[in-house]
Amino acid sequence: MSEQKLSGEVYYPSFEHLGEPHVRERGELQREAENDYEGFWARHAEELDWFEPWEKVLDDSQAPFYKWFTGAKTNIVYNCVDRHVLTPRRNKLALIWEGEDGEFRSLSYFALKREVCKFANILKSLGVEKGDRVTLYMGRIPELVLGMLACARIGAIHSVVYGGFSVEALHERLEDSQSKVLIVADGAYQRGKIVPLKDIADEALQRAATVQSVLVVKRTGQEVNMEQGRDLWFHDLMMLPIATSQCNLEVMDAEDPLFMLYTSGTTGKPKAILHTHGGYMVGTYTTLKYVFDMQDQDRYWCAADPGWITGHSYIVYGPLLNGATSFMYEGAPTYPYPNRWWQMVERYGITILYTAPTAIRGLMRFGDAWAERHDLSTLRLLGSVGEPINPEAWKWYHRVIGRERCPIMDTWWQTETGMFMITPIPSDPLKPGSGGKPFPGLQMDIVNEEGKPVGADEEGYLIIKTPWPAMLRTIYGDPDRYVEQYWKRFEGMYMTGDSARRDADGYYWVIGRVDDVIKVSGYRLGTAEIESALVSHPAVSEAAAIGLPHDVKGNVIHAFVILKTGVEVHEHFEDELKRHVGHEMGPIAKPQAIEFVDSLPKTRSGKIMRRVLRARALGEDPGNLATLED
Ligand code: WTA
């Protein structure tokens, strides 16, 4: 960054504490990427191994179905695992894991390769082949990571369903993906209690016709139902001769699918975002390298859940591609006490911590003392993701956790982008609450209704103008929806669904979603899903869900419900409905409050006017009602 004077509150980096980062100045990368965008990505791709080189870096002949590194052959698992085993890194820890109950496991790169191969051989013995879909439904345990890598190794497409989701959410995702195998844990620990994942899966499986085998990983140990001919214990199979520690890698085309991950969009059912071996690999590798300045001696901790994109890109693939040591923790941040996280930072010597604003605000509530009593001096970089971070939480994180010397990388990105898009790098001056600028080479903008750029400090739609290697390739099984949803609103530009403004220094300030997506504790939920869970209750005729601001969670769900005529509701009916949503969707989707109403405000075309509902719930003026039908 040049001598330019920045406006507002600015935090400058301290190289003394940071060490020597990969780049000392953003301009170095920026200039390179701007002068030769494709060359920039090709140079980073060359830092990874390919079985055959690419013919073209970016193929835009069928835009918006962009392709990257066409003609190249690779397998992301080769670069995550096998490659390191051929170097002194073979003995380096790839993964350190702590269970909520204090259990500990670690895997060197050598051990990681062995376990992934054994796992992959088991999948093969169940008939899993290249292109087959495999669903994983577990808590934060090492087998989830191993299972993802095992799928990718043999060319199967993994679909991880967040362990906090429930029956209907899992059922829908099993059906849509037509998964052949489900890998599930018996249960997950959550604040000392057991979430009965296998029981939930059994219910979901009743209507999932394509699943032939269920592989059950023992974690919590309670009695579970094992269906003859369908369910198999993972640990039993691991003892069999089929589970050898050698397993050939499937040679994948750069554009072959790696995984699908369901996320909520504007309308209807959740959609599966599809990512590939080649471009996704280059994107996650490069962005993590620079944004968190991955160095060999780092102990990196991304506290997200592998069930969401943050876990895919920055617990599993990005760190392993960089040959990093990654730490993973199973449970709740405040269990059994609010110092659990800081205890682990101290115990394992964590150097980089990446989490979400909601977790920071949740921990901040308990005061400074819980963190102050721990030695956090190993930390050198902090990160934030998932929703805008309010400056108050940013400053607390910086002062109490970062001890005023760790820069905070506030990374804006999405399931669809696969990699960081707007983000600082460690040497950048930071402004609390802003993610800074687009990653070098990416062209983004903020536009008005007509798709024209807005002026400094004006709010508008956040869009992306350049294709990028880790971009989604399509929506699984629905290419039209892919075009419609992302590329139609503004011709030739990718629509993010977020609103933002940019200040005179070029720093971006993301405001939030402009569509029907609600971020609850950083988790992405669609109003349509919550509404359909409500309507699936026999007493409910119509429902509308909106997000309302909340101090810790960012947003909470507030629902409006029209009951069927003649339905008598009892005093605890609101609780019953909340429980119903929890059962169908999962605890995160439970509305905080439900209001019973006689009608819902709709436009003449029948679309629910959430703006009006939000105003009503907040006791504000609903504004212009010209389009209201009734
Ligand atoms: C929001 C999560 C502000 C945004 C990686 C985006 C953020 C959505 C940030 C994607 C951030 C994510 N600042 N908002 N640093 N990071 N978001 O797909 O609204 O679960 O569109 O991916 O999260 O959520 P998703």
Side-chain angles (χ1 to χ4, degrees), residues 37-67:
Y37 185 61
E38 290 180 34
F40 172 80
W41 289 111
R43 171 168 80 85
H44 290 95
E46 278 161 13
E47 294 177 12
L48 298 160
D49 286 343
W50 303 78
F51 306 135
E52 272 176 49
W54 50 88
E55 286 146 20
K56 223 170 167 352
V57 175
L58 168 64
D59 175 358
D60 57 5
S61 59
Q62 287 156 47
F65 294 95
Y66 294 96
K67 295 193 180 91

PDB file of all heavy atoms in Angstrom, residues 37-67:
ATOM      1  N   TYR A  37      -3.958 -11.687 -15.918  1.00  0.00           N
ATOM      2  CA  TYR A  37      -4.847 -12.394 -14.993  1.00  0.00           C
ATOM      3  C   TYR A  37      -4.698 -13.920 -15.107  1.00  0.00           C
ATOM      4  O   TYR A  37      -4.518 -14.618 -14.121  1.00  0.00           O
ATOM      5  CB  TYR A  37      -6.288 -11.969 -15.281  1.00  0.00           C
ATOM      6  CG  TYR A  37      -7.320 -12.520 -14.321  1.00  0.00           C
ATOM      7  CD1 TYR A  37      -7.261 -12.229 -12.963  1.00  0.00           C
ATOM      8  CD2 TYR A  37      -8.360 -13.323 -14.782  1.00  0.00           C
ATOM      9  CE1 TYR A  37      -8.215 -12.722 -12.083  1.00  0.00           C
ATOM     10  CE2 TYR A  37      -9.325 -13.821 -13.911  1.00  0.00           C
ATOM     11  CZ  TYR A  37      -9.244 -13.518 -12.563  1.00  0.00           C
ATOM     12  OH  TYR A  37     -10.195 -14.011 -11.702  1.00  0.00           O
ATOM     13  N   GLU A  38      -4.756 -14.411 -16.328  1.00  0.00           N
ATOM     14  CA  GLU A  38      -4.645 -15.864 -16.508  1.00  0.00           C
ATOM     15  C   GLU A  38      -3.251 -16.363 -16.134  1.00  0.00           C
ATOM     16  O   GLU A  38      -3.107 -17.431 -15.532  1.00  0.00           O
ATOM     17  CB  GLU A  38      -4.985 -16.258 -17.948  1.00  0.00           C
ATOM     18  CG  GLU A  38      -6.456 -16.088 -18.250  1.00  0.00           C
ATOM     19  CD  GLU A  38      -6.818 -16.483 -19.669  1.00  0.00           C
ATOM     20  OE1 GLU A  38      -6.202 -17.417 -20.205  1.00  0.00           O
ATOM     21  OE2 GLU A  38      -7.719 -15.845 -20.240  1.00  0.00           O
ATOM     22  N   GLY A  39      -2.249 -15.569 -16.472  1.00  0.00           N
ATOM     23  CA  GLY A  39      -0.871 -15.937 -16.134  1.00  0.00           C
ATOM     24  C   GLY A  39      -0.673 -16.023 -14.624  1.00  0.00           C
ATOM     25  O   GLY A  39       0.043 -16.883 -14.112  1.00  0.00           O
ATOM     26  N   PHE A  40      -1.340 -15.124 -13.910  1.00  0.00           N
ATOM     27  CA  PHE A  40      -1.270 -15.104 -12.452  1.00  0.00           C
ATOM     28  C   PHE A  40      -1.784 -16.424 -11.874  1.00  0.00           C
ATOM     29  O   PHE A  40      -1.138 -17.071 -11.050  1.00  0.00           O
ATOM     30  CB  PHE A  40      -2.102 -13.925 -11.938  1.00  0.00           C
ATOM     31  CG  PHE A  40      -2.297 -13.875 -10.448  1.00  0.00           C
ATOM     32  CD1 PHE A  40      -1.299 -13.377  -9.624  1.00  0.00           C
ATOM     33  CD2 PHE A  40      -3.488 -14.305  -9.870  1.00  0.00           C
ATOM     34  CE1 PHE A  40      -1.485 -13.324  -8.237  1.00  0.00           C
ATOM     35  CE2 PHE A  40      -3.684 -14.253  -8.497  1.00  0.00           C
ATOM     36  CZ  PHE A  40      -2.673 -13.762  -7.679  1.00  0.00           C
ATOM     37  N   TRP A  41      -2.942 -16.872 -12.360  1.00  0.00           N
ATOM     38  CA  TRP A  41      -3.504 -18.127 -11.855  1.00  0.00           C
ATOM     39  C   TRP A  41      -2.687 -19.315 -12.332  1.00  0.00           C
ATOM     40  O   TRP A  41      -2.500 -20.296 -11.603  1.00  0.00           O
ATOM     41  CB  TRP A  41      -4.980 -18.263 -12.239  1.00  0.00           C
ATOM     42  CG  TRP A  41      -5.834 -17.301 -11.471  1.00  0.00           C
ATOM     43  CD1 TRP A  41      -6.499 -16.205 -11.959  1.00  0.00           C
ATOM     44  CD2 TRP A  41      -6.074 -17.313 -10.057  1.00  0.00           C
ATOM     45  NE1 TRP A  41      -7.144 -15.545 -10.943  1.00  0.00           N
ATOM     46  CE2 TRP A  41      -6.902 -16.205  -9.758  1.00  0.00           C
ATOM     47  CE3 TRP A  41      -5.673 -18.142  -9.003  1.00  0.00           C
ATOM     48  CZ2 TRP A  41      -7.340 -15.913  -8.464  1.00  0.00           C
ATOM     49  CZ3 TRP A  41      -6.108 -17.846  -7.707  1.00  0.00           C
ATOM     50  CH2 TRP A  41      -6.929 -16.746  -7.455  1.00  0.00           C
ATOM     51  N   ALA A  42      -2.172 -19.224 -13.559  1.00  0.00           N
ATOM     52  CA  ALA A  42      -1.358 -20.325 -14.075  1.00  0.00           C
ATOM     53  C   ALA A  42      -0.094 -20.480 -13.238  1.00  0.00           C
ATOM     54  O   ALA A  42       0.330 -21.591 -12.923  1.00  0.00           O
ATOM     55  CB  ALA A  42      -1.003 -20.072 -15.538  1.00  0.00           C
ATOM     56  N   ARG A  43       0.502 -19.356 -12.853  1.00  0.00           N
ATOM     57  CA  ARG A  43       1.721 -19.447 -12.041  1.00  0.00           C
ATOM     58  C   ARG A  43       1.437 -20.190 -10.728  1.00  0.00           C
ATOM     59  O   ARG A  43       2.237 -21.015 -10.283  1.00  0.00           O
ATOM     60  CB  ARG A  43       2.260 -18.040 -11.728  1.00  0.00           C
ATOM     61  CG  ARG A  43       3.397 -18.079 -10.710  1.00  0.00           C
ATOM     62  CD  ARG A  43       4.138 -16.774 -10.605  1.00  0.00           C
ATOM     63  NE  ARG A  43       3.485 -15.759  -9.787  1.00  0.00           N
ATOM     64  CZ  ARG A  43       3.609 -15.661  -8.462  1.00  0.00           C
ATOM     65  NH1 ARG A  43       4.299 -16.559  -7.793  1.00  0.00           N
ATOM     66  NH2 ARG A  43       3.003 -14.688  -7.801  1.00  0.00           N
ATOM     67  N   HIS A  44       0.292 -19.914 -10.120  1.00  0.00           N
ATOM     68  CA  HIS A  44      -0.023 -20.599  -8.864  1.00  0.00           C
ATOM     69  C   HIS A  44      -0.410 -22.051  -9.098  1.00  0.00           C
ATOM     70  O   HIS A  44      -0.093 -22.923  -8.301  1.00  0.00           O
ATOM     71  CB  HIS A  44      -1.085 -19.825  -8.092  1.00  0.00           C
ATOM     72  CG  HIS A  44      -0.531 -18.542  -7.564  1.00  0.00           C
ATOM     73  ND1 HIS A  44      -0.663 -17.343  -8.234  1.00  0.00           N
ATOM     74  CD2 HIS A  44       0.236 -18.294  -6.485  1.00  0.00           C
ATOM     75  CE1 HIS A  44      -0.013 -16.408  -7.571  1.00  0.00           C
ATOM     76  NE2 HIS A  44       0.547 -16.954  -6.497  1.00  0.00           N
ATOM     77  N   ALA A  45      -1.070 -22.299 -10.218  1.00  0.00           N
ATOM     78  CA  ALA A  45      -1.415 -23.685 -10.558  1.00  0.00           C
ATOM     79  C   ALA A  45      -0.137 -24.507 -10.711  1.00  0.00           C
ATOM     80  O   ALA A  45      -0.103 -25.691 -10.358  1.00  0.00           O
ATOM     81  CB  ALA A  45      -2.235 -23.720 -11.840  1.00  0.00           C
ATOM     82  N   GLU A  46       0.902 -23.867 -11.208  1.00  0.00           N
ATOM     83  CA  GLU A  46       2.169 -24.584 -11.410  1.00  0.00           C
ATOM     84  C   GLU A  46       2.850 -24.956 -10.091  1.00  0.00           C
ATOM     85  O   GLU A  46       3.735 -25.806 -10.065  1.00  0.00           O
ATOM     86  CB  GLU A  46       3.114 -23.746 -12.273  1.00  0.00           C
ATOM     87  CG  GLU A  46       2.792 -23.891 -13.753  1.00  0.00           C
ATOM     88  CD  GLU A  46       3.370 -22.769 -14.609  1.00  0.00           C
ATOM     89  OE1 GLU A  46       4.232 -22.009 -14.102  1.00  0.00           O
ATOM     90  OE2 GLU A  46       2.935 -22.655 -15.765  1.00  0.00           O
ATOM     91  N   GLU A  47       2.445 -24.337  -9.022  1.00  0.00           N
ATOM     92  CA  GLU A  47       2.998 -24.724  -7.717  1.00  0.00           C
ATOM     93  C   GLU A  47       2.401 -26.052  -7.242  1.00  0.00           C
ATOM     94  O   GLU A  47       2.832 -26.620  -6.256  1.00  0.00           O
ATOM     95  CB  GLU A  47       2.749 -23.621  -6.676  1.00  0.00           C
ATOM     96  CG  GLU A  47       3.504 -22.330  -6.995  1.00  0.00           C
ATOM     97  CD  GLU A  47       3.203 -21.201  -6.005  1.00  0.00           C
ATOM     98  OE1 GLU A  47       2.592 -21.446  -4.950  1.00  0.00           O
ATOM     99  OE2 GLU A  47       3.589 -20.053  -6.313  1.00  0.00           O
ATOM    100  N   LEU A  48       1.352 -26.503  -7.933  1.00  0.00           N
ATOM    101  CA  LEU A  48       0.718 -27.781  -7.588  1.00  0.00           C
ATOM    102  C   LEU A  48       1.076 -28.813  -8.653  1.00  0.00           C
ATOM    103  O   LEU A  48       1.637 -28.467  -9.690  1.00  0.00           O
ATOM    104  CB  LEU A  48      -0.807 -27.585  -7.522  1.00  0.00           C
ATOM    105  CG  LEU A  48      -1.257 -26.593  -6.446  1.00  0.00           C
ATOM    106  CD1 LEU A  48      -2.658 -26.074  -6.738  1.00  0.00           C
ATOM    107  CD2 LEU A  48      -1.211 -27.228  -5.056  1.00  0.00           C
ATOM    108  N   ASP A  49       0.749 -30.079  -8.377  1.00  0.00           N
ATOM    109  CA  ASP A  49       1.109 -31.131  -9.331  1.00  0.00           C
ATOM    110  C   ASP A  49      -0.063 -31.515 -10.228  1.00  0.00           C
ATOM    111  O   ASP A  49      -1.194 -31.629  -9.763  1.00  0.00           O
ATOM    112  CB  ASP A  49       1.578 -32.384  -8.572  1.00  0.00           C
ATOM    113  CG  ASP A  49       2.970 -32.182  -7.980  1.00  0.00           C
ATOM    114  OD1 ASP A  49       3.672 -31.249  -8.427  1.00  0.00           O
ATOM    115  OD2 ASP A  49       3.349 -32.942  -7.063  1.00  0.00           O
ATOM    116  N   TRP A  50       0.250 -31.729 -11.490  1.00  0.00           N
ATOM    117  CA  TRP A  50      -0.755 -32.140 -12.485  1.00  0.00           C
ATOM    118  C   TRP A  50      -0.219 -33.365 -13.196  1.00  0.00           C
ATOM    119  O   TRP A  50       0.978 -33.452 -13.463  1.00  0.00           O
ATOM    120  CB  TRP A  50      -0.997 -31.005 -13.491  1.00  0.00           C
ATOM    121  CG  TRP A  50      -1.438 -29.727 -12.834  1.00  0.00           C
ATOM    122  CD1 TRP A  50      -0.625 -28.837 -12.175  1.00  0.00           C
ATOM    123  CD2 TRP A  50      -2.763 -29.210 -12.735  1.00  0.00           C
ATOM    124  NE1 TRP A  50      -1.384 -27.789 -11.676  1.00  0.00           N
ATOM    125  CE2 TRP A  50      -2.708 -27.992 -12.009  1.00  0.00           C
ATOM    126  CE3 TRP A  50      -4.014 -29.649 -13.192  1.00  0.00           C
ATOM    127  CZ2 TRP A  50      -3.829 -27.222 -11.729  1.00  0.00           C
ATOM    128  CZ3 TRP A  50      -5.131 -28.872 -12.918  1.00  0.00           C
ATOM    129  CH2 TRP A  50      -5.037 -27.681 -12.189  1.00  0.00           C
ATOM    130  N   PHE A  51      -1.096 -34.282 -13.537  1.00  0.00           N
ATOM    131  CA  PHE A  51      -0.647 -35.459 -14.284  1.00  0.00           C
ATOM    132  C   PHE A  51      -0.459 -35.116 -15.757  1.00  0.00           C
ATOM    133  O   PHE A  51       0.354 -35.683 -16.448  1.00  0.00           O
ATOM    134  CB  PHE A  51      -1.634 -36.621 -14.127  1.00  0.00           C
ATOM    135  CG  PHE A  51      -1.927 -36.953 -12.686  1.00  0.00           C
ATOM    136  CD1 PHE A  51      -3.225 -37.179 -12.241  1.00  0.00           C
ATOM    137  CD2 PHE A  51      -0.884 -37.018 -11.752  1.00  0.00           C
ATOM    138  CE1 PHE A  51      -3.488 -37.470 -10.908  1.00  0.00           C
ATOM    139  CE2 PHE A  51      -1.144 -37.319 -10.413  1.00  0.00           C
ATOM    140  CZ  PHE A  51      -2.448 -37.539  -9.995  1.00  0.00           C
ATOM    141  N   GLU A  52      -1.280 -34.168 -16.209  1.00  0.00           N
ATOM    142  CA  GLU A  52      -1.101 -33.649 -17.569  1.00  0.00           C
ATOM    143  C   GLU A  52      -1.383 -32.165 -17.547  1.00  0.00           C
ATOM    144  O   GLU A  52      -2.266 -31.722 -16.821  1.00  0.00           O
ATOM    145  CB  GLU A  52      -2.083 -34.333 -18.535  1.00  0.00           C
ATOM    146  CG  GLU A  52      -1.545 -35.622 -19.122  1.00  0.00           C
ATOM    147  CD  GLU A  52      -2.576 -36.319 -19.986  1.00  0.00           C
ATOM    148  OE1 GLU A  52      -3.184 -35.647 -20.849  1.00  0.00           O
ATOM    149  OE2 GLU A  52      -2.772 -37.527 -19.768  1.00  0.00           O
ATOM    150  N   PRO A  53      -0.634 -31.393 -18.328  1.00  0.00           N
ATOM    151  CA  PRO A  53      -0.809 -29.936 -18.282  1.00  0.00           C
ATOM    152  C   PRO A  53      -2.100 -29.483 -18.975  1.00  0.00           C
ATOM    153  O   PRO A  53      -2.709 -30.242 -19.713  1.00  0.00           O
ATOM    154  CB  PRO A  53       0.407 -29.422 -19.046  1.00  0.00           C
ATOM    155  CG  PRO A  53       0.775 -30.531 -19.978  1.00  0.00           C
ATOM    156  CD  PRO A  53       0.393 -31.811 -19.295  1.00  0.00           C
ATOM    157  N   TRP A  54      -2.483 -28.238 -18.744  1.00  0.00           N
ATOM    158  CA  TRP A  54      -3.693 -27.691 -19.377  1.00  0.00           C
ATOM    159  C   TRP A  54      -3.359 -27.140 -20.757  1.00  0.00           C
ATOM    160  O   TRP A  54      -2.227 -26.784 -21.053  1.00  0.00           O
ATOM    161  CB  TRP A  54      -4.313 -26.594 -18.510  1.00  0.00           C
ATOM    162  CG  TRP A  54      -3.329 -25.545 -18.066  1.00  0.00           C
ATOM    163  CD1 TRP A  54      -2.976 -24.403 -18.725  1.00  0.00           C
ATOM    164  CD2 TRP A  54      -2.565 -25.549 -16.856  1.00  0.00           C
ATOM    165  NE1 TRP A  54      -2.041 -23.697 -18.005  1.00  0.00           N
ATOM    166  CE2 TRP A  54      -1.779 -24.381 -16.856  1.00  0.00           C
ATOM    167  CE3 TRP A  54      -2.474 -26.430 -15.769  1.00  0.00           C
ATOM    168  CZ2 TRP A  54      -0.892 -24.066 -15.801  1.00  0.00           C
ATOM    169  CZ3 TRP A  54      -1.599 -26.115 -14.728  1.00  0.00           C
ATOM    170  CH2 TRP A  54      -0.830 -24.952 -14.758  1.00  0.00           C
ATOM    171  N   GLU A  55      -4.415 -27.115 -21.564  1.00  0.00           N
ATOM    172  CA  GLU A  55      -4.281 -26.486 -22.877  1.00  0.00           C
ATOM    173  C   GLU A  55      -4.646 -25.018 -22.770  1.00  0.00           C
ATOM    174  O   GLU A  55      -4.081 -24.158 -23.433  1.00  0.00           O
ATOM    175  CB  GLU A  55      -5.215 -27.165 -23.888  1.00  0.00           C
ATOM    176  CG  GLU A  55      -4.713 -28.538 -24.306  1.00  0.00           C
ATOM    177  CD  GLU A  55      -5.839 -29.529 -24.565  1.00  0.00           C
ATOM    178  OE1 GLU A  55      -7.001 -29.111 -24.789  1.00  0.00           O
ATOM    179  OE2 GLU A  55      -5.554 -30.750 -24.525  1.00  0.00           O
ATOM    180  N   LYS A  56      -5.609 -24.731 -21.929  1.00  0.00           N
ATOM    181  CA  LYS A  56      -6.087 -23.358 -21.801  1.00  0.00           C
ATOM    182  C   LYS A  56      -6.310 -23.073 -20.316  1.00  0.00           C
ATOM    183  O   LYS A  56      -6.834 -23.930 -19.606  1.00  0.00           O
ATOM    184  CB  LYS A  56      -7.434 -23.257 -22.522  1.00  0.00           C
ATOM    185  CG  LYS A  56      -7.600 -22.017 -23.368  1.00  0.00           C
ATOM    186  CD  LYS A  56      -8.863 -22.170 -24.224  1.00  0.00           C
ATOM    187  CE  LYS A  56      -9.315 -20.909 -24.882  1.00  0.00           C
ATOM    188  NZ  LYS A  56      -8.852 -19.657 -24.715  1.00  0.00           N
ATOM    189  N   VAL A  57      -5.940 -21.888 -19.865  1.00  0.00           N
ATOM    190  CA  VAL A  57      -6.165 -21.549 -18.454  1.00  0.00           C
ATOM    191  C   VAL A  57      -7.651 -21.276 -18.235  1.00  0.00           C
ATOM    192  O   VAL A  57      -8.291 -21.884 -17.383  1.00  0.00           O
ATOM    193  CB  VAL A  57      -5.320 -20.322 -18.030  1.00  0.00           C
ATOM    194  CG1 VAL A  57      -5.650 -19.904 -16.594  1.00  0.00           C
ATOM    195  CG2 VAL A  57      -3.842 -20.630 -18.161  1.00  0.00           C
ATOM    196  N   LEU A  58      -8.193 -20.366 -19.026  1.00  0.00           N
ATOM    197  CA  LEU A  58      -9.612 -20.025 -18.885  1.00  0.00           C
ATOM    198  C   LEU A  58     -10.295 -20.202 -20.233  1.00  0.00           C
ATOM    199  O   LEU A  58      -9.872 -19.608 -21.230  1.00  0.00           O
ATOM    200  CB  LEU A  58      -9.755 -18.572 -18.408  1.00  0.00           C
ATOM    201  CG  LEU A  58     -11.163 -17.971 -18.474  1.00  0.00           C
ATOM    202  CD1 LEU A  58     -12.124 -18.698 -17.544  1.00  0.00           C
ATOM    203  CD2 LEU A  58     -11.129 -16.479 -18.094  1.00  0.00           C
ATOM    204  N   ASP A  59     -11.344 -20.989 -20.227  1.00  0.00           N
ATOM    205  CA  ASP A  59     -12.121 -21.166 -21.447  1.00  0.00           C
ATOM    206  C   ASP A  59     -13.480 -20.509 -21.216  1.00  0.00           C
ATOM    207  O   ASP A  59     -14.288 -20.992 -20.432  1.00  0.00           O
ATOM    208  CB  ASP A  59     -12.270 -22.670 -21.733  1.00  0.00           C
ATOM    209  CG  ASP A  59     -13.182 -22.936 -22.925  1.00  0.00           C
ATOM    210  OD1 ASP A  59     -13.720 -21.969 -23.508  1.00  0.00           O
ATOM    211  OD2 ASP A  59     -13.360 -24.115 -23.268  1.00  0.00           O
ATOM    212  N   ASP A  60     -13.693 -19.392 -21.926  1.00  0.00           N
ATOM    213  CA  ASP A  60     -14.965 -18.674 -21.724  1.00  0.00           C
ATOM    214  C   ASP A  60     -15.874 -18.809 -22.943  1.00  0.00           C
ATOM    215  O   ASP A  60     -16.797 -18.020 -23.124  1.00  0.00           O
ATOM    216  CB  ASP A  60     -14.707 -17.209 -21.365  1.00  0.00           C
ATOM    217  CG  ASP A  60     -13.868 -16.503 -22.414  1.00  0.00           C
ATOM    218  OD1 ASP A  60     -13.570 -17.131 -23.461  1.00  0.00           O
ATOM    219  OD2 ASP A  60     -13.493 -15.335 -22.188  1.00  0.00           O
ATOM    220  N   SER A  61     -15.593 -19.825 -23.765  1.00  0.00           N
ATOM    221  CA  SER A  61     -16.356 -19.947 -25.013  1.00  0.00           C
ATOM    222  C   SER A  61     -17.836 -20.270 -24.770  1.00  0.00           C
ATOM    223  O   SER A  61     -18.661 -20.018 -25.635  1.00  0.00           O
ATOM    224  CB  SER A  61     -15.722 -21.007 -25.918  1.00  0.00           C
ATOM    225  OG  SER A  61     -15.688 -22.252 -25.245  1.00  0.00           O
ATOM    226  N   GLN A  62     -18.149 -20.837 -23.574  1.00  0.00           N
ATOM    227  CA  GLN A  62     -19.560 -21.137 -23.301  1.00  0.00           C
ATOM    228  C   GLN A  62     -20.071 -20.392 -22.074  1.00  0.00           C
ATOM    229  O   GLN A  62     -20.873 -20.917 -21.307  1.00  0.00           O
ATOM    230  CB  GLN A  62     -19.737 -22.640 -23.108  1.00  0.00           C
ATOM    231  CG  GLN A  62     -19.621 -23.432 -24.399  1.00  0.00           C
ATOM    232  CD  GLN A  62     -19.211 -24.869 -24.135  1.00  0.00           C
ATOM    233  OE1 GLN A  62     -19.752 -25.534 -23.269  1.00  0.00           O
ATOM    234  NE2 GLN A  62     -18.221 -25.338 -24.874  1.00  0.00           N
ATOM    235  N   ALA A  63     -19.570 -19.172 -21.903  1.00  0.00           N
ATOM    236  CA  ALA A  63     -19.961 -18.381 -20.736  1.00  0.00           C
ATOM    237  C   ALA A  63     -21.481 -18.320 -20.623  1.00  0.00           C
ATOM    238  O   ALA A  63     -22.158 -18.268 -21.650  1.00  0.00           O
ATOM    239  CB  ALA A  63     -19.389 -16.971 -20.879  1.00  0.00           C
ATOM    240  N   PRO A  64     -22.068 -18.357 -19.402  1.00  0.00           N
ATOM    241  CA  PRO A  64     -21.375 -18.336 -18.104  1.00  0.00           C
ATOM    242  C   PRO A  64     -20.927 -19.710 -17.602  1.00  0.00           C
ATOM    243  O   PRO A  64     -20.620 -19.833 -16.426  1.00  0.00           O
ATOM    244  CB  PRO A  64     -22.443 -17.753 -17.181  1.00  0.00           C
ATOM    245  CG  PRO A  64     -23.726 -18.272 -17.739  1.00  0.00           C
ATOM    246  CD  PRO A  64     -23.535 -18.329 -19.220  1.00  0.00           C
ATOM    247  N   PHE A  65     -20.886 -20.699 -18.500  1.00  0.00           N
ATOM    248  CA  PHE A  65     -20.329 -21.990 -18.081  1.00  0.00           C
ATOM    249  C   PHE A  65     -18.821 -21.957 -18.339  1.00  0.00           C
ATOM    250  O   PHE A  65     -18.339 -22.489 -19.330  1.00  0.00           O
ATOM    251  CB  PHE A  65     -21.024 -23.136 -18.831  1.00  0.00           C
ATOM    252  CG  PHE A  65     -22.478 -23.257 -18.465  1.00  0.00           C
ATOM    253  CD1 PHE A  65     -23.457 -22.645 -19.238  1.00  0.00           C
ATOM    254  CD2 PHE A  65     -22.869 -23.947 -17.319  1.00  0.00           C
ATOM    255  CE1 PHE A  65     -24.799 -22.719 -18.881  1.00  0.00           C
ATOM    256  CE2 PHE A  65     -24.208 -24.030 -16.961  1.00  0.00           C
ATOM    257  CZ  PHE A  65     -25.177 -23.411 -17.741  1.00  0.00           C
ATOM    258  N   TYR A  66     -18.124 -21.279 -17.447  1.00  0.00           N
ATOM    259  CA  TYR A  66     -16.686 -21.110 -17.611  1.00  0.00           C
ATOM    260  C   TYR A  66     -15.960 -22.391 -17.246  1.00  0.00           C
ATOM    261  O   TYR A  66     -16.415 -23.151 -16.396  1.00  0.00           O
ATOM    262  CB  TYR A  66     -16.184 -19.980 -16.699  1.00  0.00           C
ATOM    263  CG  TYR A  66     -16.721 -18.632 -17.075  1.00  0.00           C
ATOM    264  CD1 TYR A  66     -17.847 -18.111 -16.438  1.00  0.00           C
ATOM    265  CD2 TYR A  66     -16.103 -17.868 -18.069  1.00  0.00           C
ATOM    266  CE1 TYR A  66     -18.361 -16.872 -16.782  1.00  0.00           C
ATOM    267  CE2 TYR A  66     -16.609 -16.623 -18.418  1.00  0.00           C
ATOM    268  CZ  TYR A  66     -17.739 -16.123 -17.769  1.00  0.00           C
ATOM    269  OH  TYR A  66     -18.234 -14.900 -18.109  1.00  0.00           O
ATOM    270  N   LYS A  67     -14.816 -22.587 -17.894  1.00  0.00           N
ATOM    271  CA  LYS A  67     -13.979 -23.747 -17.559  1.00  0.00           C
ATOM    272  C   LYS A  67     -12.568 -23.253 -17.280  1.00  0.00           C
ATOM    273  O   LYS A  67     -12.113 -22.291 -17.896  1.00  0.00           O
ATOM    274  CB  LYS A  67     -13.933 -24.730 -18.727  1.00  0.00           C
ATOM    275  CG  LYS A  67     -15.267 -25.375 -19.048  1.00  0.00           C
ATOM    276  CD  LYS A  67     -15.037 -26.561 -19.987  1.00  0.00           C
ATOM    277  CE  LYS A  67     -16.326 -27.254 -20.342  1.00  0.00           C
ATOM    278  NZ  LYS A  67     -16.924 -26.687 -21.574  1.00  0.00           N
TER     279      LYS A  67
END
